[in-house]
């Protein structure tokens, strides 16, 4: 389980002064609801995706009391509540605060932290100390309150899964030290493992100083020369605060493709993992997952791939029934499910900008398991799309445009007009390509 937040020393850049960023960040939170066609939307940050069963119950209570009764997982391991009454904001905030899900009103949209979902469960090192430490430092930093809701921290246990997600600041486990990546740079800084959270916050605050002049929301948005200056400043500040323990830069390219936990059992087994079709959970499914967590350790870990890991142990023969029950409830418990790797934005009618009901279209096109993930978007914004290599399906006024994305590169697209059978065949053919 996630440890209590420690009393950590703040970054040397955290004290005093007004927030560095002004208004303009439209990312929804729990105190700033977003109006959608199906009602208001709240995005609840869940650092590292880690939830106790009681906090999971509180999220369901909020969904049933104020919204459509469902919970929607995001590509950052957070939870969205949809169909909310626009006037529910105060009562929603009270409920979430009482559950410990809103520790700092000023930082509620800045607590974007993803973590390796299997960390500490399958022989890999845990990152729970980093997670609690970084979250406490972010909430204690006056400057960090100005981080955009788009800014992302990643805590990788060394396997490279969340390192591949394109975070702004990434910590990577490396024995008794850790590697700090700023943006997508191949060169990373080595620091003592215990200094990782403070180094991550330091990098974020140095970014904020640069962002004040450029208007950038994320590290990748900075001009090249400014981004290089941020790295230089981070290096200098690490040497000043950590000293000789801050080792030389190390060459470690960011992984090209993120590999989520496969559905099923992991470790000996230390955990079970399920994927959630299109990231949407009914109240029945959520209660089943929460009940499973209570029986086996009282923790749920929401993944950035719209799945959930339940730590075990699940070693007894009768524990196989837990996966069977989750499968019977409509969750993905095996890699041969046709839903594996299929994602979609909310689409029409939930979003006014969407040109089609892409969730229904994705369901109609589900077929053989593809080698590549596929993501369906109702418009060019592609909200919640994956990273790395994937098949991009976008609704346009002329039909659906299908392209193969490899990081920053994109193959020439193919447009399929209004023919469901042809669309399904084209998507299946694109997904079948070798990685």
């Amino acid at each position: 389980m996630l440890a209590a937040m420690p009393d950590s020393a703040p970054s040397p850049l955290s004290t005093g002064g007004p927030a560095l960023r002004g208004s303009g960040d439209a990312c929804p939170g729990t105190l700033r609801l977003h109006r959608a066609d199906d009602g208001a939307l709240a995005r609840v940050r869940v650092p590292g995706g880690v939830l106790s069963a009681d906090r999971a119950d509180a999220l369901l209570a909020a969904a049933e009391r104020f919204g459509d009764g469902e919970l929607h997982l995001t590509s950052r391991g957070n939870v969205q509540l949809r169909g909310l009454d626009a006037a529910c904001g105060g009562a929603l905030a009270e409920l979430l605060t009482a559950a410990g899900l809103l520790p700092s009103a000023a930082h509620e949209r800045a607590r974007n932290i993803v973590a390796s979902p299997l960390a500490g469960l399958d022989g890999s090192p845990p990152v729970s100390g980093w997670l609690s430490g970084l979250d406490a430092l972010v909430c204690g930093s006056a400057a960090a309150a100005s981080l955009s809701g788009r800014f992302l921290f990643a805590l990788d246990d060394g396997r490279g899964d969340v390192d591949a997600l394109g975070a702004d600041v990434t910590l990577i486990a490396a024995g008794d030290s850790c590697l700090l990546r700023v943006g997508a740079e191949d060169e990373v800084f080595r620091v003592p493992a215990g200094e990782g959270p403070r180094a991550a916050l330091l990098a974020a605050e140095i970014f904020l100083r640069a962002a004040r002049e450029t208007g950038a929301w994320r590290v990748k948005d900075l001009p090249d020369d400014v981004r290089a200056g941020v790295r230089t400043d981070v290096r200098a500040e690490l040497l000043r605060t950590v000293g000789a323990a801050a080792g030389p830069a190390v060459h470690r390219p960011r992984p090209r493709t993120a590999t989520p936990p496969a559905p099923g059992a992991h470790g000996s087994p230390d955990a079970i993992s399920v994927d959630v079709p299109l990231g949407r959970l009914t109240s029945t499914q959520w209660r089943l997952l929460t009940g499973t967590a209570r029986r086996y350790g009282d923790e749920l870990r929401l993944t950035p791939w719209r799945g959930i890991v339940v730590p075990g142990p699940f070693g007894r023969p009768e524990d196989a029934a837990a996966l069977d029950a989750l499968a019977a409830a409509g969750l993905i418990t095996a890699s041969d499910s046709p839903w594996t790797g299929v994602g979609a934005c909310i689409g029409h009618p939930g979003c006014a900008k969407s040109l089609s009901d892409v969730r229904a279209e994705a369901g109609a096109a589900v077929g053989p398991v593809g080698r590549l993930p596929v993501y369906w978007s109702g418009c060019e914004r592609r909200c919640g799309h994956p990273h790395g290599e994937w098949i991009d399906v976008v609704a346009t006024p002329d039909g659906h445009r299908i392209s193969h994305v490899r990081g920053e590169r994109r193959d020439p697209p193919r447009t399929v007009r209004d023919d469901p059978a042809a669309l399904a065949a084209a998507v299946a053919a694109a997904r079948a390509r070798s990685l």
Side-chain angles (χ1 to χ4, degrees):
M1 294 175 58
L2 178 63
M5 293 182 183
D7 293 325
S8 302
S11 157
L13 303 179
S14 296
T15 56
L20 297 177
R21 298 299 298 270
S23 60
D25 180 11
C27 281
T30 54
L31 302 179
R32 179 194 293 179
L33 303 185
H34 171 75
R35 289 186 178 273
D37 272 19
D38 58 349
L41 176 155
R43 185 174 298 158
V44 185
R45 267 64 179 187
V46 184
V50 176
L51 281 172
S52 67
D54 284 347
R55 288 181 178 178
D57 285 343
L59 285 171
L60 179 58
E64 293 184 324
R65 178 179 171 187
F66 304 116
D68 61 8
E70 297 183 334
L71 297 105
H72 302 258
L73 306 185
T74 78
S75 59
R76 293 182 166 191
N78 295 320
V79 173
Q80 287 189 166
L81 309 177
R82 301 190 67 96
L84 302 172
D85 185 322
C88 78
L92 173 63
E94 288 180 4
L95 189 158
L96 297 178
T97 299
L101 288 162
L102 193 60
S104 171
H107 298 82
E108 61 107 359
R109 292 186 304 145
R111 300 170 69 225
N112 283 312
I113 307 172
V114 296
S116 296
L118 293 174
L121 299 178
D122 59 352
S124 64
V127 297
S128 55
W130 284 354
L131 178 58
S132 57
L134 178 58
D135 192 28
L137 286 170
V138 167
C139 289
S141 163
S146 296
L147 288 171
S148 161
R150 303 176 179 91
F151 193 93
L152 181 64
F153 296 95
L155 308 179
D156 193 290
D157 65 2
R159 75 184 71 215
D161 54 354
V162 296
D163 187 18
L165 295 180
D168 297 279
V169 176
T170 304
L171 288 180
I172 308 161
D176 58 358
S177 63
C178 66
L179 305 177
L180 173 69
R181 189 189 306 280
V182 181
E185 298 297 329
D186 288 345
E187 296 297 319
V188 295
F189 304 115
R190 187 181 295 275
V191 297
E195 295 289 341
R198 198 156 70 108
L201 177 65
L202 182 149
E205 292 180 329
I206 289 175
F207 158 78
L208 280 170
R209 291 195 314 206
R212 178 166 45 192
E213 302 299 328
T214 66
W217 293 117
R218 302 195 62 187
V219 170
K220 67 180 182 180
D221 300 329
L222 293 169
D224 290 347
D225 60 333
V226 177
R227 191 164 57 248
V230 167
R231 284 178 47 78
T232 298
D233 290 348
V234 168
R235 176 63 175 160
E237 195 63 34
L238 286 175
L239 288 172
R240 189 182 74 81
T241 58
V242 181
V250 177
H251 184 74
R252 182 171 177 138
R254 171 169 274 163
R256 185 183 68 170
T257 301
T259 303
H266 292 267
S268 53
D270 301 312
I272 56 175
S273 175
V274 300
D275 290 341
V276 180
L278 303 181
R280 182 171 60 190
L281 287 149
T282 66
S283 58
T284 299
Q285 291 171 326
W286 190 260
R287 285 193 177 93
L288 179 59
L289 284 160
T290 304
T292 304
R294 279 200 167 89
R295 289 195 301 275
Y296 293 98
D298 200 47
E299 182 176 281
L300 299 166
R301 297 185 183 183
L302 316 182
T303 81
W305 302 278
R306 297 180 174 88
I308 297 180
V309 168
V310 182
F314 292 89
R316 301 171 301 175
E318 59 267 31
D319 293 337
L323 270 177
D324 293 340
L326 294 169
L331 299 169
I332 302 168
T333 60
S335 298
D336 59 357
S337 167
W339 280 103
T340 299
V342 178
C345 71
I346 196 65
H348 183 79
C351 176
K353 295 184 181 295
S354 180
L355 299 179
S356 67
D357 185 350
V358 288
R359 293 196 164 206
E361 291 168 341
V366 163
V369 178
R371 295 177 184 270
L372 293 171
V374 58
Y375 195 80
W376 297 69
S377 301
C379 73
E380 298 287 354
R381 295 186 304 169
R382 297 177 174 84
C383 294
H385 69 76
H387 293 269
E389 191 168 10
W390 50 288
I391 301 302
D392 182 37
V393 183
V394 181
T396 74
D398 299 321
H400 291 74
R401 189 173 64 245
I402 305 171
S403 56
H404 185 174
V405 179
R406 298 178 178 87
E408 299 300 319
R409 296 187 295 118
R410 182 183 299 270
D411 285 359
R414 173 188 177 187
T415 298
V416 178
R417 300 190 183 276
D418 297 329
D419 182 339
L423 178 60
V427 170
R431 295 190 69 197
R433 297 175 183 174
S434 177
L435 282 169

